[in-house]
Amino acid sequence: MPMAERSIAVEVEDLHKSFRVPSRRIDTLKERALHLLSPVEYTTFEALRGLSFEIAEGECFGVVGRNGSGKTTLLKLLASIYRPDRGRIRVAGTLAPFIELSVGFNPNLTARNNVLLNGVMMGSTPKEARRRFDEVIEFAELEEFVELPLRNYSSGMSMRLGFSLMVFSEADVMLVDEVLAVGDASFAQKCADVFQRMRDEGRTIVLVTHDMDSLKAMCDRAILIEDGVIELAGDADPVAHRYLQINLSGPDGPPPIAVDGGGAQDAARIARTWLEDSSGERARSFEHGSPTRLCVDIDVRARIERPVLAFEICAADGTQVFGAPLALAEQDGRLEAGEQVEVRATVSNLLTPGRYVVNCALSQNGIDAVDLLRPAAQFVVTGEHQFGYVELEWECEIERRPRASAVEAVDR
Amino acid sequence: MSAVGSAPALRDVPGPSAVGGGAKRFFELTWLLASTDFKLNYLDTAFGYLWSLMRPLLLFGVLYTVFTKVLRFGGDIPHYADLVLFNIILYGFFSESTTRSVGCIPGSEHIVRKTQFPRLVIPLSVVLTGLFNLCLSLIAVFVFLIATGVTPRLTWLALPLILALLLLLTAGVSTLLSVLYVRFRDIAQIWGVLALAIFYASPVLYPVEKVPHSLQWLLLINPLAPLLTAGRRLVIDPNAPSTVDIVGSAWGIIGPALVLVVICVTAFWLFNRAAPQVAEEL
Ligand SMILES: Nc1ncnc2c1ncn2[C@@H]1O[C@H](COP(=O)(O)OP(=O)(O)OP(=O)(O)O)[C@@H](O)[C@H]1O
Ligand SMILES: [Mg+2]
């Protein structure tokens, strides 16, 4: 890994954490006295089983995994909120955890008191916390609500407050748990800028996220946690890729494009996908009627027999609107290791306004899945028509007759 | 891999604990939590201070009337009214702080689950809030004492010593209750009854010399007894007997002191043991 000259900011070795959940909850003295002789039984749940990794100073390090895979647990262990069962955690410098931003506030206290308290909780002195107060409020754009108790804040407002606290934190290592995309659009942009600035300043950030786009945009490296172990560690791109793959095969039902591992999964990779408009510019929003171009680049690592790239366009509700297989080689042909394939498919745009997702799957011999990307791209169609998925060509005639004929016909 | 010149060195993370993180931070946090809470409850509401005085004054009014007019008690005790008021305020600090401490750890869930700080700060900040309130109430008490003819004396200056010991006792009991409550939720009801029993078993409404011989063991195990008695001698009536006089031996002091030490040591030991897991067991 390319961290030769950078010093290490966080080092985790063989980290284990399990939770003991009593099989029957005995939480009063009375019950305890009644069950004096029967021992309390516990079921042990192993949340993390032997994690080891290193984070270099100044790195933005992603942690991804499905719900309940142990990401928050990991951050809480790093932050000394939980105690590890086994293993060693070492950190260089100060560390500040930002876990579910807005929930750490006391609803009865005003924003002012919450900001001061939170600052001190995170390790600043009361003096520093007071000095930073104005900046924090200004960034959150909540100057008018400083004396309002937090229980009267909207959830977006208290998240903004939490986020600004994070912005002005001076810790060397920041642990950030799913706090991106805070507030409305303009604030979200501000937050993205802040992360960029922190990265440029060389702060070490540990970022937990479910959004693979922001992971790829912000993180240098990442780990994927699955069932309490590190499933994959390395550069952000492959980790994001694997995360999407794992998430697809999850219990949420089979994806519209089936994957049944034919043992060929490392043979090739759908490296990049994007959409272009009719002028050849990358775009994510298309006027109804203007053609859409789907671009897919494939890196081939090992020979693939009879390769087929299938793509589908799905509406926001998951309905498959259109799909097509594209044979990548002539009859009975193959792709050789090292080849790069560029696919450019132009699709006429009959779609009604709304959000759509493009999924791509690469397979060999017609059935063996090689790679799957879902979503491969997302786009929005703009226009007037309101109903259905596609706007078919249509015309109508309307004829009205006087009352005598007593018929009013509408002909579509 | 070698560390770059100015970069801080790798250090093991401390893990969650009862007191870790340095005395300064511990004190700052306790003070900040207590003062924030105090302002919220006593100063921010319009009649906060008067309101916080109302409860002990009302209690004093009722008990004093019942004891002097109905039970015809206290006629032979010099400055009986002052004694009862003074004691009610001191006991009020003890009972209010301990009662509020019972559920204080789940009550601070929002910070316990999200941030790292010495956990002992939680019960101690509740006690400190109570202490702020006590100090304000004592101003009113001293006004009352002077107005009803108690002569100010130099021994009044020794009152902080009594308060310090009372603070220690309250902190010990509060810490104990807060950690027990995490495991046993019926501690809240149990303490409600116990606190009432302690109120009548302590020389609050009656002075020590009225405790009959058969009940003197109560004085030997109750740290509140020598504290209230010493408070009375220092502040109200220098001629009043001390606990030692009544019990007839130094055990009048040593007994309660031992109980105090046992409470504090047990409380700290239990809390220290539970602190690392508190965040995950809430
Ligand atoms: N205090 C606790 N007591 C018992 N079990 C716990 C506790 N904290 C977490 N767990 C369990 O540990 C597992 C991991 O939880 P964790 O919160 O780390 O997941 P996560 O990866 O952050 O998930 P998400 O993506 O939903 O935030 C879960 O199965 C959860 O039920
Ligand atoms: Mg989580």
Side-chain angles (χ1 to χ4, degrees):
Chain A
M1 258 158 252
M3 340 189 285
E5 296 102 52
R6 287 155 118 192
S7 58
I8 299 177
V10 178
E11 185 185 66
V12 173
E13 258 174 69
D14 193 33
L15 188 63
H16 286 259
K17 177 71 194 172
S18 51
F19 295 105
R20 288 201 316 171
V21 187
S23 32
R24 344 189 0 232
R25 195 156 177 105
I26 295 187
D27 57 5
T28 62
L29 262 180
K30 191 186 83 195
E31 284 175 62
R32 190 77 203 94
L34 288 177
H35 300 91
L36 212 52
L37 297 179
S38 57
V40 189
E41 280 168 24
Y42 291 98
T43 49
T44 306
F45 173 77
E46 289 184 78
L48 295 179
R49 300 177 292 151
L51 262 56
S52 301
F53 58 89
E54 280 173 3
I55 303 175
E57 199 196 326
E59 191 172 27
C60 182
F61 190 82
V63 177
V64 299
R66 286 201 288 196
N67 294 134
S69 56
K71 303 178 296 295
T72 303
T73 305
L74 172 63
L75 292 203
K76 286 187 174 180
L77 286 164
L78 291 178
S80 290
I81 297 170
Y82 289 170
R83 183 169 65 175
D85 299 338
R86 194 136 57 80
R88 184 171 195 199
I89 304 172
R90 294 196 298 162
V91 173
T94 54
L95 180 148
F98 294 92
I99 294 166
E100 299 161 47
L101 283 180
S102 58
V103 205
F105 292 129
N106 181 343
N108 295 321
L109 296 181
T110 59
R112 178 186 297 279
N113 284 328
N114 266 305
V115 169
L116 295 183
L117 207 54
N118 205 291
V120 177
M121 282 287 162
M122 291 292 174
S124 352
T125 63
K127 218 165 135 194
E128 283 169 4
R130 266 193 297 276
R131 185 167 51 73
R132 265 204 310 267
F133 174 78
D134 289 330
E135 292 174 309
V136 170
I137 293 295
E138 190 186 333
F139 184 89
E141 299 165 21
L142 292 170
E143 291 94 337
E144 295 145 61
F145 307 100
V146 176
E147 302 301 338
L148 193 67
L150 262 266
R151 60 170 178 271
N152 298 338
Y153 267 48
S154 75
S155 59
M157 279 158 73
S158 52
M159 287 208 294
R160 286 161 81 128
L161 194 61
F163 193 90
S164 322
L165 268 167
M166 185 179 78
V167 170
F168 293 98
S169 156
E170 277 157 18
D172 299 317
V173 179
M174 318 237 300
L175 308 180
V176 182
D177 194 358
E178 299 185 41
V179 299
L180 300 172
V182 168
D184 49 35
S186 79
F187 195 75
Q189 184 54 44
K190 225 163 138 181
C191 298
D193 295 346
V194 162
F195 265 96
Q196 200 54 48
R197 195 206 73 210
M198 285 185 182
R199 287 200 48 193
D200 297 345
E201 281 173 4
R203 304 280 283 278
T204 310
I205 303 172
V206 183
L207 181 71
V208 169
T209 180
H210 287 285
D211 177 15
M212 291 305 118
D213 285 338
S214 50
L215 180 84
K216 285 192 248 180
M218 296 200 296
C219 294
D220 311 304
R221 291 189 312 135
I223 53 174
L224 169 62
I225 304 182
E226 176 76 6
D227 284 336
V229 296
I230 296 184
E231 162 88 19
L232 183 65
D235 292 337
D237 279 5
V239 171
H241 193 75
R242 184 94 185 94
Y243 169 81
L244 292 173
Q245 268 182 338
I246 285 194
N247 238 6
L248 291 181
S249 54
D252 304 343
I257 296 179
V259 226
D260 32 15
Q265 289 188 343
D266 290 324
R269 199 159 76 85
I270 300 175
R272 281 168 299 277
T273 54
W274 70 95
L275 298 171
E276 286 178 1
D277 61 19
S278 45
S279 62
E281 294 289 317
R282 285 194 185 206
R284 301 189 106 186
S285 150
F286 300 88
E287 181 69 29
H288 170 87
S290 73
T292 307
R293 197 136 86 122
L294 170 65
C295 309
V296 183
D297 288 359
I298 298 167
D299 293 343
V300 185
R301 293 178 185 156
R303 171 184 292 180
I304 303 177
E305 303 285 349
R306 288 195 288 150
V308 173
L309 178 75
F311 75 94
E312 64 176 2
I313 297 174
C314 295
D317 62 6
T319 307
Q320 190 183 37
V321 181
F322 176 70
L326 310 167
L328 298 183
E330 59 291 349
Q331 187 91 53
D332 291 334
R334 56 175 71 103
L335 296 176
E336 297 293 345
E339 261 190 83
Q340 291 197 339
V341 186
E342 294 177 3
V343 182
R344 304 288 180 262
T346 306
V347 185
S348 69
N349 182 356
L350 299 179
L351 299 167
T352 52
R355 302 180 68 84
Y356 294 87
V357 173
V358 183
N359 301 321
C360 291
L362 181 65
S363 59
Q364 67 173 339
N365 292 324
I367 42 164
D368 292 350
V370 176
D371 195 12
L372 172 79
L373 201 53
R374 193 190 123 180
Q378 300 187 21
F379 63 100
V380 174
V381 174
T382 54
E384 303 282 294
H385 193 75
Q386 291 299 328
F387 305 103
Y389 298 109
V390 291
E391 190 175 349
L392 303 174
E393 269 180 47
W394 63 294
E395 52 187 343
C396 84
E397 277 165 31
I398 299 168
E399 198 176 333
R400 298 179 69 166
R401 295 182 205 281
R403 208 170 202 292
S405 63
V407 179
E408 204 171 86
V410 176
D411 198 0
R412 277 201 175 189
Chain B
M1 243 163 273
S2 63
V4 178
S6 66
L10 275 180
R11 249 179 290 139
D12 283 300
V13 296
S17 66
V19 288
K24 183 163 171 283
R25 175 162 155 79
F26 189 95
F27 182 77
E28 279 172 357
L29 268 176
T30 314
W31 184 270
L32 189 65
L33 280 175
S35 56
T36 314
D37 192 29
F38 180 71
K39 273 187 246 155
L40 186 70
N41 287 322
Y42 299 100
L43 299 187
D44 283 1
T45 49
F47 295 102
Y49 177 56
L50 286 182
W51 193 242
S52 73
L53 273 180
M54 280 307 278
R55 265 182 42 162
L57 283 183
L58 204 65
L59 188 66
F60 163 73
V62 171
L63 289 172
Y64 183 76
T65 314
V66 169
F67 269 66
T68 54
K69 301 281 144 53
V70 181
L71 300 175
R72 308 211 175 278
F73 181 86
D76 53 339
I77 300 162
H79 299 297
Y80 181 62
D82 302 281
L83 179 65
V84 170
L85 180 65
F86 182 63
N87 282 346
I88 282 180
I89 295 290
L90 290 188
Y91 176 82
F93 161 65
F94 173 78
S95 88
E96 212 176 290
S97 304
T98 49
T99 307
R100 287 191 45 199
S101 299
V102 173
C104 69
I105 294 180
S108 312
E109 199 184 337
H110 57 281
I111 47 179
V112 175
R113 296 172 74 109
K114 303 256 151 50
T115 49
Q116 186 257 327
F117 65 96
R119 307 306 191 197
L120 192 58
V121 161
I122 303 171
L124 293 193
S125 70
V126 174
V127 176
L128 189 59
T129 310
L131 186 68
F132 292 156
N133 193 26
L134 171 65
C135 291
L136 281 185
S137 308
L138 279 177
I139 297 174
V141 170
F142 278 101
V143 170
F144 183 83
L145 292 190
I146 292 169
T148 54
V150 177
T151 33
R153 259 187 312 273
L154 267 181
T155 49
W156 283 15
L157 296 178
L159 185 63
L161 201 72
I162 305 287
L163 295 186
L165 286 170
L166 182 64
L167 180 67
L168 185 65
L169 173 69
T170 310
V173 175
S174 297
T175 305
L176 191 62
L177 291 171
S178 70
V179 64
L180 287 179
Y181 182 77
V182 175
R183 276 289 158 77
F184 307 115
R185 296 296 157 117
D186 49 354
I187 288 290
Q189 289 109 32
I190 295 174
W191 184 246
V193 176
L194 260 182
L196 194 65
I198 293 172
F199 177 70
Y200 287 108
S202 306
V204 176
L205 297 173
Y206 51 85
V208 263
E209 64 263 26
K210 298 279 178 190
V211 177
H213 241 281
S214 58
L215 285 179
Q216 277 195 358
W217 57 271
L218 274 178
L219 299 178
L220 291 178
I221 57 162
N222 182 0
L224 279 173
L227 287 177
L228 295 179
T229 308
R232 175 187 176 205
R233 274 161 60 89
L234 289 176
V235 176
I236 296 168
D237 181 5
N239 303 318
S242 70
T243 334
V244 177
D245 295 337
I246 301 299
V247 174
S249 73
W251 283 105
I253 292 290
I254 300 174
L258 281 179
V259 173
L260 175 63
V261 169
V262 168
I263 289 176
C264 290
V265 169
T266 315
F268 184 76
W269 178 70
L270 280 179
F271 197 97
N272 200 34
R273 213 180 54 147
Q277 286 95 323
V278 133
E280 63 197 71
E281 283 176 1
L282 278 180

Short mmCIF file of all heavy atoms in Angstrom, two decimals, chain B residues 70-102:
data_model
loop_
_atom_site.label_atom_id
_atom_site.label_comp_id
_atom_site.label_asym_id
_atom_site.label_seq_id
_atom_site.Cartn_x
_atom_site.Cartn_y
_atom_site.Cartn_z
N VAL B 70 -49.42 20.18 67.57
CA VAL B 70 -50.20 18.96 67.76
C VAL B 70 -49.53 18.04 68.77
O VAL B 70 -50.13 17.59 69.74
CB VAL B 70 -50.39 18.22 66.42
CG1 VAL B 70 -51.21 16.96 66.62
CG2 VAL B 70 -51.06 19.13 65.41
N LEU B 71 -48.24 17.76 68.54
CA LEU B 71 -47.56 16.82 69.43
C LEU B 71 -46.96 17.52 70.65
O LEU B 71 -46.44 16.86 71.53
CB LEU B 71 -46.45 16.10 68.65
CG LEU B 71 -46.93 15.28 67.45
CD1 LEU B 71 -45.75 14.70 66.68
CD2 LEU B 71 -47.85 14.14 67.91
N ARG B 72 -47.03 18.85 70.65
CA ARG B 72 -46.47 19.65 71.76
C ARG B 72 -45.04 19.25 72.05
O ARG B 72 -44.63 19.00 73.18
CB ARG B 72 -47.33 19.49 73.02
CG ARG B 72 -48.77 19.76 72.75
CD ARG B 72 -49.47 20.35 73.96
NE ARG B 72 -50.86 20.70 73.58
CZ ARG B 72 -51.17 21.83 72.96
NH1 ARG B 72 -50.25 22.72 72.68
NH2 ARG B 72 -52.43 22.06 72.63
N PHE B 73 -44.24 19.13 70.97
CA PHE B 73 -42.84 18.75 71.09
C PHE B 73 -41.98 19.99 70.91
O PHE B 73 -42.37 20.93 70.23
CB PHE B 73 -42.52 17.72 69.99
CG PHE B 73 -41.11 17.21 70.02
CD1 PHE B 73 -40.76 16.13 70.84
CD2 PHE B 73 -40.12 17.81 69.25
CE1 PHE B 73 -39.45 15.67 70.85
CE2 PHE B 73 -38.81 17.35 69.28
CZ PHE B 73 -38.48 16.28 70.08
N GLY B 74 -40.83 20.01 71.56
CA GLY B 74 -39.84 21.02 71.24
C GLY B 74 -39.90 22.26 72.10
O GLY B 74 -39.05 23.14 71.99
N GLY B 75 -40.87 22.34 72.99
CA GLY B 75 -40.97 23.53 73.83
C GLY B 75 -39.73 23.76 74.67
O GLY B 75 -39.34 24.90 74.92
N ASP B 76 -39.05 22.67 75.06
CA ASP B 76 -37.89 22.80 75.93
C ASP B 76 -36.59 22.89 75.13
O ASP B 76 -35.51 22.90 75.71
CB ASP B 76 -37.83 21.59 76.87
CG ASP B 76 -37.88 20.28 76.09
OD1 ASP B 76 -38.36 20.30 74.93
OD2 ASP B 76 -37.43 19.25 76.63
N ILE B 77 -36.68 22.90 73.81
CA ILE B 77 -35.46 22.93 73.00
C ILE B 77 -35.20 24.35 72.51
O ILE B 77 -36.05 24.93 71.82
CB ILE B 77 -35.59 21.98 71.80
CG1 ILE B 77 -35.83 20.56 72.31
CG2 ILE B 77 -34.34 22.03 70.92
CD1 ILE B 77 -36.39 19.63 71.27
N PRO B 78 -34.05 24.93 72.87
CA PRO B 78 -33.79 26.31 72.45
C PRO B 78 -33.70 26.41 70.93
O PRO B 78 -33.11 25.55 70.28
CB PRO B 78 -32.44 26.64 73.09
CG PRO B 78 -31.86 25.35 73.56
CD PRO B 78 -32.98 24.37 73.70
N HIS B 79 -34.33 27.46 70.37
CA HIS B 79 -34.32 27.71 68.92
C HIS B 79 -34.80 26.50 68.13
O HIS B 79 -34.20 26.12 67.13
CB HIS B 79 -32.91 28.10 68.45
CG HIS B 79 -32.41 29.35 69.08
ND1 HIS B 79 -33.00 30.59 68.91
CD2 HIS B 79 -31.36 29.55 69.92
CE1 HIS B 79 -32.33 31.49 69.59
NE2 HIS B 79 -31.34 30.90 70.22
N TYR B 80 -35.87 25.89 68.58
CA TYR B 80 -36.34 24.67 67.91
C TYR B 80 -36.70 24.94 66.44
O TYR B 80 -36.35 24.17 65.56
CB TYR B 80 -37.56 24.10 68.66
CG TYR B 80 -38.06 22.82 68.03
CD1 TYR B 80 -37.25 21.69 67.96
CD2 TYR B 80 -39.35 22.75 67.50
CE1 TYR B 80 -37.70 20.53 67.37
CE2 TYR B 80 -39.81 21.58 66.90
CZ TYR B 80 -38.98 20.47 66.85
OH TYR B 80 -39.43 19.32 66.25
N ALA B 81 -37.35 26.06 66.18
CA ALA B 81 -37.75 26.38 64.79
C ALA B 81 -36.51 26.48 63.90
O ALA B 81 -36.48 25.93 62.79
CB ALA B 81 -38.53 27.68 64.75
N ASP B 82 -35.47 27.19 64.40
CA ASP B 82 -34.25 27.33 63.59
C ASP B 82 -33.62 25.98 63.33
O ASP B 82 -33.14 25.69 62.24
CB ASP B 82 -33.26 28.22 64.33
CG ASP B 82 -33.85 29.57 64.62
OD1 ASP B 82 -33.89 30.40 63.71
OD2 ASP B 82 -34.34 29.77 65.76
N LEU B 83 -33.63 25.14 64.36
CA LEU B 83 -33.02 23.82 64.24
C LEU B 83 -33.71 23.01 63.14
O LEU B 83 -33.06 22.42 62.27
CB LEU B 83 -33.12 23.08 65.58
CG LEU B 83 -32.54 21.67 65.59
CD1 LEU B 83 -31.05 21.72 65.35
CD2 LEU B 83 -32.85 20.96 66.89
N VAL B 84 -35.06 23.02 63.20
CA VAL B 84 -35.81 22.22 62.22
C VAL B 84 -35.56 22.74 60.80
O VAL B 84 -35.28 21.97 59.87
CB VAL B 84 -37.31 22.22 62.55
CG1 VAL B 84 -38.11 21.61 61.41
CG2 VAL B 84 -37.56 21.44 63.83
N LEU B 85 -35.59 24.05 60.62
CA LEU B 85 -35.39 24.61 59.29
C LEU B 85 -33.99 24.27 58.76
O LEU B 85 -33.81 23.79 57.64
CB LEU B 85 -35.58 26.13 59.31
CG LEU B 85 -35.38 26.78 57.93
CD1 LEU B 85 -36.45 26.31 56.96
CD2 LEU B 85 -35.40 28.30 58.04
N PHE B 86 -32.99 24.50 59.62
CA PHE B 86 -31.60 24.23 59.24
C PHE B 86 -31.43 22.76 58.84
O PHE B 86 -30.86 22.44 57.79
CB PHE B 86 -30.71 24.59 60.44
CG PHE B 86 -29.24 24.41 60.20
CD1 PHE B 86 -28.59 25.17 59.23
CD2 PHE B 86 -28.50 23.50 60.95
CE1 PHE B 86 -27.23 25.01 59.01
CE2 PHE B 86 -27.14 23.34 60.73
CZ PHE B 86 -26.50 24.10 59.76
N ASN B 87 -31.97 21.87 59.67
CA ASN B 87 -31.84 20.44 59.39
C ASN B 87 -32.56 20.04 58.11
O ASN B 87 -32.07 19.20 57.35
CB ASN B 87 -32.38 19.62 60.56
CG ASN B 87 -31.38 19.58 61.71
OD1 ASN B 87 -30.22 19.94 61.53
ND2 ASN B 87 -31.84 19.18 62.88
N ILE B 88 -33.75 20.62 57.91
CA ILE B 88 -34.52 20.25 56.72
C ILE B 88 -33.76 20.65 55.45
O ILE B 88 -33.74 19.91 54.47
CB ILE B 88 -35.92 20.90 56.75
CG1 ILE B 88 -36.82 20.09 57.69
CG2 ILE B 88 -36.55 20.95 55.37
CD1 ILE B 88 -38.21 20.61 57.80
N ILE B 89 -33.10 21.79 55.51
CA ILE B 89 -32.34 22.22 54.33
C ILE B 89 -31.15 21.28 54.09
O ILE B 89 -30.91 20.85 52.96
CB ILE B 89 -31.84 23.68 54.52
CG1 ILE B 89 -33.02 24.64 54.58
CG2 ILE B 89 -30.88 24.06 53.40
CD1 ILE B 89 -33.76 24.82 53.27
N LEU B 90 -30.44 20.92 55.17
CA LEU B 90 -29.30 20.00 55.00
C LEU B 90 -29.77 18.64 54.52
O LEU B 90 -29.22 18.06 53.57
CB LEU B 90 -28.52 19.85 56.32
CG LEU B 90 -27.73 21.06 56.80
CD1 LEU B 90 -26.87 20.68 57.99
CD2 LEU B 90 -26.85 21.63 55.69
N TYR B 91 -30.80 18.11 55.18
CA TYR B 91 -31.31 16.80 54.76
C TYR B 91 -31.87 16.88 53.34
O TYR B 91 -31.72 15.94 52.55
CB TYR B 91 -32.38 16.29 55.72
CG TYR B 91 -32.96 14.99 55.24
CD1 TYR B 91 -32.31 13.79 55.49
CD2 TYR B 91 -34.11 14.97 54.46
CE1 TYR B 91 -32.79 12.60 54.98
CE2 TYR B 91 -34.60 13.78 53.94
CZ TYR B 91 -33.94 12.60 54.21
OH TYR B 91 -34.42 11.44 53.69
N GLY B 92 -32.50 18.00 53.02
CA GLY B 92 -33.07 18.19 51.68
C GLY B 92 -32.01 18.05 50.61
O GLY B 92 -32.25 17.44 49.56
N PHE B 93 -30.83 18.59 50.88
CA PHE B 93 -29.73 18.44 49.92
C PHE B 93 -29.41 16.97 49.71
O PHE B 93 -29.30 16.48 48.59
CB PHE B 93 -28.49 19.19 50.44
CG PHE B 93 -27.21 18.74 49.81
CD1 PHE B 93 -26.97 18.95 48.46
CD2 PHE B 93 -26.23 18.12 50.57
CE1 PHE B 93 -25.79 18.53 47.87
CE2 PHE B 93 -25.04 17.70 49.99
CZ PHE B 93 -24.82 17.91 48.63
N PHE B 94 -29.30 16.24 50.84
CA PHE B 94 -28.99 14.81 50.75
C PHE B 94 -30.07 14.06 49.97
O PHE B 94 -29.78 13.33 49.02
CB PHE B 94 -28.84 14.23 52.16
CG PHE B 94 -28.68 12.74 52.20
CD1 PHE B 94 -27.46 12.15 51.90
CD2 PHE B 94 -29.75 11.93 52.54
CE1 PHE B 94 -27.31 10.78 51.93
CE2 PHE B 94 -29.61 10.55 52.57
CZ PHE B 94 -28.38 9.97 52.27
N SER B 95 -31.31 14.26 50.34
CA SER B 95 -32.37 13.44 49.74
C SER B 95 -32.62 13.83 48.29
O SER B 95 -32.81 12.98 47.44
CB SER B 95 -33.65 13.52 50.57
OG SER B 95 -34.43 14.61 50.15
N GLU B 96 -32.55 15.14 48.01
CA GLU B 96 -32.83 15.54 46.63
C GLU B 96 -31.72 15.07 45.68
O GLU B 96 -31.99 14.55 44.60
CB GLU B 96 -32.98 17.05 46.56
CG GLU B 96 -33.94 17.49 45.49
CD GLU B 96 -34.14 18.98 45.51
OE1 GLU B 96 -34.77 19.46 46.48
OE2 GLU B 96 -33.66 19.66 44.59
N SER B 97 -30.48 15.24 46.12
CA SER B 97 -29.36 14.82 45.25
C SER B 97 -29.39 13.32 45.02
O SER B 97 -29.21 12.85 43.90
CB SER B 97 -28.03 15.20 45.87
OG SER B 97 -28.00 16.57 46.14
N THR B 98 -29.59 12.56 46.10
CA THR B 98 -29.57 11.11 45.93
C THR B 98 -30.74 10.65 45.06
O THR B 98 -30.57 9.82 44.18
CB THR B 98 -29.61 10.38 47.29
OG1 THR B 98 -30.68 10.94 48.05
CG2 THR B 98 -28.32 10.53 48.03
N THR B 99 -31.93 11.23 45.30
CA THR B 99 -33.09 10.81 44.52
C THR B 99 -32.90 11.13 43.05
O THR B 99 -33.23 10.32 42.18
CB THR B 99 -34.35 11.51 45.04
OG1 THR B 99 -34.43 11.28 46.44
CG2 THR B 99 -35.60 10.98 44.38
N ARG B 100 -32.34 12.31 42.77
CA ARG B 100 -32.13 12.67 41.36
C ARG B 100 -31.02 11.84 40.72
O ARG B 100 -30.98 11.68 39.51
CB ARG B 100 -31.81 14.15 41.24
CG ARG B 100 -33.03 15.04 41.48
CD ARG B 100 -32.76 16.46 41.10
NE ARG B 100 -32.08 16.48 39.81
CZ ARG B 100 -31.39 17.51 39.35
NH1 ARG B 100 -31.29 18.60 40.06
NH2 ARG B 100 -30.80 17.46 38.18
N SER B 101 -30.11 11.31 41.54
CA SER B 101 -29.01 10.51 40.99
C SER B 101 -29.46 9.13 40.55
O SER B 101 -28.80 8.51 39.72
CB SER B 101 -27.90 10.31 42.02
OG SER B 101 -27.40 11.53 42.40
N VAL B 102 -30.55 8.64 41.13
CA VAL B 102 -30.92 7.25 40.89
C VAL B 102 -30.95 6.95 39.39
O VAL B 102 -30.29 6.04 38.92
CB VAL B 102 -32.28 6.92 41.54
CG1 VAL B 102 -32.73 5.53 41.13
CG2 VAL B 102 -32.17 7.01 43.05
#
